[in-house]
Every structure is written in C-alpha cells, then in structure tokens.
Amino acid sequence: MINPDIKVPIFVTQPALPPLNEFVKYLEKIWDSKIITNNGPFHCQFEEQLASYLGVKYISVFANGTIALLTALQTLQIKGEVITTPFSFVATSHSLLWNGINPVFSDIDKTYLNLDPYKLESAITSETRAIIPVHVYGNPCDINAIQKIANKYDLKVIYDAAHAFGVKIDGNSILNFGDLSVLSFHATKVFNTIEGGAIVCHDQQTKERIDFLKNFGFADEVTVVEPGINGKLNEIQAAYGLLQLKSVDTYIEKRKNITETYRTLLRNIRGISYIPQLDNVRYAYPYFPILIDEQDFGKSRDEVYEFLKKNNIFGRRYFYPLITQFPNYSHLPSARAGNLPVAEEMAKRVLCLPIFPDLEISKVETISNLIANMT
Ligand code: T4K
C-alpha cells in the first residue's frame, strides 16, 4: 500500500523554474530583436553575470555539459591516456572515448567518494596526459594533492564540476582550480538552463580558443582556425539562465535546509551514514547520498531503494553501475574486478534521496521516518 502521506510521487529531483511572467518579458525582447542564437546579447550578459556570481574570471557557456567536456579536452589537445574515476555519470568517460583518448580508471576515497590522490600515481604511465577528477555530489576533490601530482608528471587537470556549481573553498570558487572546470546546467542540477553547461578557464587566450571551438572554429566570418563543434547556448536559454541567477541563492538555501533535516533525522540510525561536510566549504547541496551498510542496518541498499519506491519515493542509485561495468569500458585493464575496491563497494551502498527546492520539510521527515522504521 502506498504511504498516505506521499500521494504524488517524489522523484530524486525536480527542476526549479524561473517565474513565468518574468520569463515572458525576456521572450518579448527576443521576439522583437529576432536574435535567437549565435552569441547574442543575452548570451553575453549571461556569461558576464555567471562569472561574477561564481567568482571566476572566464566562463564560456555551452549547450550542455557533455559538449563542454568534449570541448575542454579539445581545448588542451589531450591525447593518449587520461586518468579518471569510475564513480561518476557516464558522460565523464564518454568524453574521453569520443576524443579517441584511452580512459584509465583509478579508485576513489572512502570518505568523499572522489578520486583518491594517493592511488593516482600508480595509474600514471608514459602515455598519461591528463587527469579528470569529478567533484562528486559537489564535494570538493583533494585539489592540492591532485595538483601536486599533476605538476610532478606534467599533466593537465580538467575538473568535471558538473555537480559543483556555487561551491567555494575558503571563499574561493572550486572552479578556479585545475586547468579547466566543466559545469552542467541540466534540468536535474542546482542551477539549470533546461540543458546547458560551461567551461571555466583562467586566461583570455584560452577563453578565445574555447569560444572558437564551440562555434565550428570560426574566428571571424571568413576564418576557420580549428575543426570546432556547435556547442552554443541559445538566447532563450541564456535569458532563462539570467533569471535563474536571481533565485539560485534561495534554491541553495532551501537545499541546505533539506540536507540539515535529513542529517538530523538519519544521524543515529545504525548502518546509515553520509558524507561529512568541511567547515571551510560553501556547499550548494545538489544531492543527498546516504551509504547503507547492509550488515549494520539489516537491509541492503537495494531493499531500501525498492521499499521507498513502493512508498512512491523514487531515490536513485547514483552511481551504480560503475562506469567500468558498462560494455565499452569493462574490458579495460583498469576496469577489472578488484582493481577499484572502494568504488565497487560504494556503488553497492549508495542511495541518493530526494532533494530539490520545492520539497517540503514534512516530506523529508516522512522519508527519513520510513527509513528509520524499516528494520
Ligand atoms: N558529468 C557529470 C558528473 C554528470 O553528473 C553529468 C550529468 C554530466 C557530466 C553531463 O552533463 P549534461 O550533458 O547532462 O549537462 C541525469 C541527468 O540527465 C544528467 O545531466 C546528470 N549528470 C545525471 C547525474 O542525472 P538521469 O538519467 O538520472 O535523469 P532522469 O531523466 O532520470 O531525471 C531524474 C529525475 O529528475 C526524474 O526521475 C524526474 C526528475 N526530472 C527530470 C527531468 C529531466 C524532472 O522532474 N524534470 C525533468 O525535466 O540523468
């Protein structure tokens, strides 16, 4: 029987949309000007305001995060091997295969579920050119340790920061670390432009190169400097993004409140744990993953997942299966069973609970109580 408190299904997320009446005003301007894409005025304004909000110098917005990842690798002309994490959305590794790069998987750490810098070094070969760590669930990677290794072996670092919108360490944007950072503004993210993404870089020359690459390689009307792609964000989505920027702090505040409620209510349940927070980090709370220890809790992660589903609550097992379990990766030497023990274990234990700005606290309480009373 469906829980009487949850009559309407609750999904892992639900996008926050800008006020329709305000959006219509932007649409009217677009309808008047007839400029609907190709780096128009809203696109330029969006990049400026986004850079200022995030606290970064240079940002190029894209049609989605995956094309931004592909372009980031092209920007730095990466070939050979790239070390990355198996505990991510599959787009992280697909961007390597699409660029003819060989992915090499290295294990994650037990606490934050990010690439473990202390295991990274043993994955480096003479062919390694870069590292793509992911700030999984918006928890910062060990940026200093990763940079130290990158410097030692002369490797580029491209952060997949799809989950790290708005994250700061000691007041400094997480996007300012590494050579490039890639964001996603997909509907399921803290900040959405329906679909969308961005690359953050640190100098004007690189920004120019990224902008050429996202527009077929055109430098001007008659000059093509690179075999670029079409990665542009259109004016309608840029206008939508400008409006979203006005509300994003409210969205984050609501997510924080939900996170704190879950953390309080699930704190004392044996066999349920969550990722610790650091005092010097400003989080944006994109996901609320819990880790279920089957022995201590008495039920497996999949049992909890199915039980919640029966109660109309649709959590997600991000990131199960691991990327290394998918057919295009499972044959790789670094993907073999036993090589990534922490990632293998965490993929079996993790469950992301619903979190989105409009999720009522009473529903968070119901979800937490259901879990607490399961055993
Ligand atoms: N790198 C990382 C680390 C990523 O996590 C991602 C994307 C990327 C790169 C690539 O960025 P993009 O190219 O996507 O910009 C979702 C997203 O599609 C994907 O963007 C995201 N990561 C990934 C973690 O999750 P699904 O297949 O889980 O989404 P879906 O459609 O099942 O949505 C989840 C729930 O959200 C639905 O049950 C209902 C709700 N929902 C979803 C959509 C799309 C809505 O209420 N409204 C909506 O419009 O992949």
Side-chain angles (χ1 to χ4, degrees):
M1 196 191 84
I2 285 183
N3 189 300
D5 293 342
I6 315 275
K7 294 190 187 77
V8 179
I10 300 178
F11 297 104
V12 68
T13 189
Q14 182 185 78
L17 276 76
L20 189 56
N21 58 337
E22 285 193 44
F23 188 42
V24 169
K25 290 180 204 154
Y26 283 75
L27 292 179
E28 282 168 355
K29 286 190 189 160
I30 293 170
W31 258 245
D32 283 346
S33 73
K34 309 280 188 292
I35 306 287
I36 56 178
T37 188
N38 283 8
N39 308 332
F42 283 129
H43 173 280
C44 298
Q45 227 178 305
F46 184 40
E47 284 194 346
E48 252 173 55
Q49 289 193 22
L50 205 48
S52 155
Y53 176 84
L54 292 169
V56 302
K57 269 199 176 141
Y58 300 98
I59 191 161
S60 299
V61 294
F62 275 78
N64 60 60
T66 304
I67 294 188
L69 271 174
L70 292 174
T71 308
L73 288 157
Q74 288 282 330
T75 304
L76 302 180
Q77 293 173 305
I78 306 293
K79 296 270 171 254
E81 291 176 4
V82 168
I83 300 172
T84 190
T85 168
F87 193 80
S88 181
F89 189 58
V90 75
T92 311
S93 298
H94 280 356
S95 72
L96 298 173
L97 293 188
W98 268 61
N99 273 298
I101 295 165
N102 296 322
V104 174
F105 295 98
S106 187
D107 208 359
I108 58 172
D109 74 83
K110 256 193 161 71
T111 312
Y112 299 104
L113 315 189
N114 285 327
L115 212 45
D116 185 341
Y118 302 98
K119 292 185 182 160
L120 255 180
E121 227 166 330
S122 63
I124 296 173
T125 73
S126 58
E127 295 300 306
T128 312
R129 297 289 173 269
I131 309 168
I132 301 198
V134 182
H135 302 296
V136 176
Y137 311 131
N139 291 303
C141 292
D142 189 341
I143 42 181
N144 294 328
I146 290 172
Q147 197 56 53
K148 220 167 144 186
I149 293 167
N151 293 347
K152 184 171 165 191
Y153 293 92
D154 194 20
L155 306 176
K156 299 288 186 197
V157 181
I158 300 175
Y159 281 105
D160 181 336
H163 304 173
F165 185 94
V167 176
K168 293 188 172 173
I169 301 188
D170 295 320
N172 184 10
S173 172
I174 188 85
L175 307 170
N176 287 324
F177 297 91
D179 293 278
L180 299 173
S181 286
V182 175
L183 290 158
S184 164
F185 306 149
H186 182 260
T188 55
K189 298 295 188 283
V190 168
F191 176 87
N192 85 77
T193 55
I194 305 172
E195 294 273 358
I199 305 180
V200 170
C201 66
H202 315 307
D203 61 85
Q204 176 61 41
Q205 213 184 338
T206 309
K207 155 96 174 132
E208 197 173 65
R209 186 172 155 72
I210 293 167
D211 288 344
F212 291 160
L213 281 168
K214 85 168 182 193
N215 188 25
F216 313 99
F218 275 110
D220 61 43
E221 212 177 304
V222 290
T223 318
V224 171
V225 292
E226 310 261 0
I229 199 163
N230 181 359
K232 290 168 278 124
L233 188 76
N234 64 60
E235 285 292 278
I236 295 176
Q237 285 173 271
Y240 178 106
L242 278 168
L243 265 177
Q244 291 286 61
L245 274 178
K246 293 187 187 179
S247 305
V248 68
D249 282 336
T250 314
Y251 300 159
I252 293 173
E253 203 47 44
K254 289 183 174 174
R255 287 175 172 277
K256 182 178 183 196
N257 199 10
I258 291 167
T259 300
E260 283 170 358
T261 307
Y262 274 133
R263 291 172 81 91
T264 306
L265 296 176
L266 299 173
R267 194 174 38 207
N268 294 323
I269 305 176
R270 212 173 121 80
I272 302 274
S273 58
Y274 36 68
I275 298 172
Q277 292 184 355
L278 298 164
D279 289 339
N280 63 338
V281 174
R282 188 263 195 176
Y283 294 95
Y285 313 98
Y287 298 90
F288 190 79
I290 56 170
L291 296 165
I292 299 160
D293 182 316
E294 183 174 350
Q295 260 192 342
D296 286 350
F297 185 63
K299 303 272 184 214
S300 70
R301 182 275 313 272
D302 287 345
E303 285 173 299
V304 180
Y305 167 76
E306 294 297 341
F307 169 76
L308 290 178
K309 256 168 72 170
K310 280 198 190 108
N311 284 279
N312 235 354
I313 298 154
F314 296 83
R316 288 293 284 267
R317 293 166 289 184
Y318 298 130
F319 289 103
Y320 161 85
L322 291 176
I323 296 175
T324 41
Q325 289 167 316
F326 292 126
N328 291 290
Y329 303 95
S330 55
H331 67 284
L332 297 171
S334 61
R336 71 175 187 277
N339 191 45
L340 307 160
V342 181
E344 283 163 22
E345 186 194 334
M346 295 305 165
K348 283 186 209 144
R349 288 179 52 188
V350 73
L351 180 62
C352 290
L353 300 180
I355 182 166
F356 50 89
D358 283 347
L359 181 61
E360 296 156 46
I361 292 298
S362 63
K363 299 284 191 284
V364 178
E365 287 164 356
T366 306
I367 297 167
S368 305
N369 289 337
L370 278 167
I371 296 171
N373 295 322
M374 231 191 118
T375 51

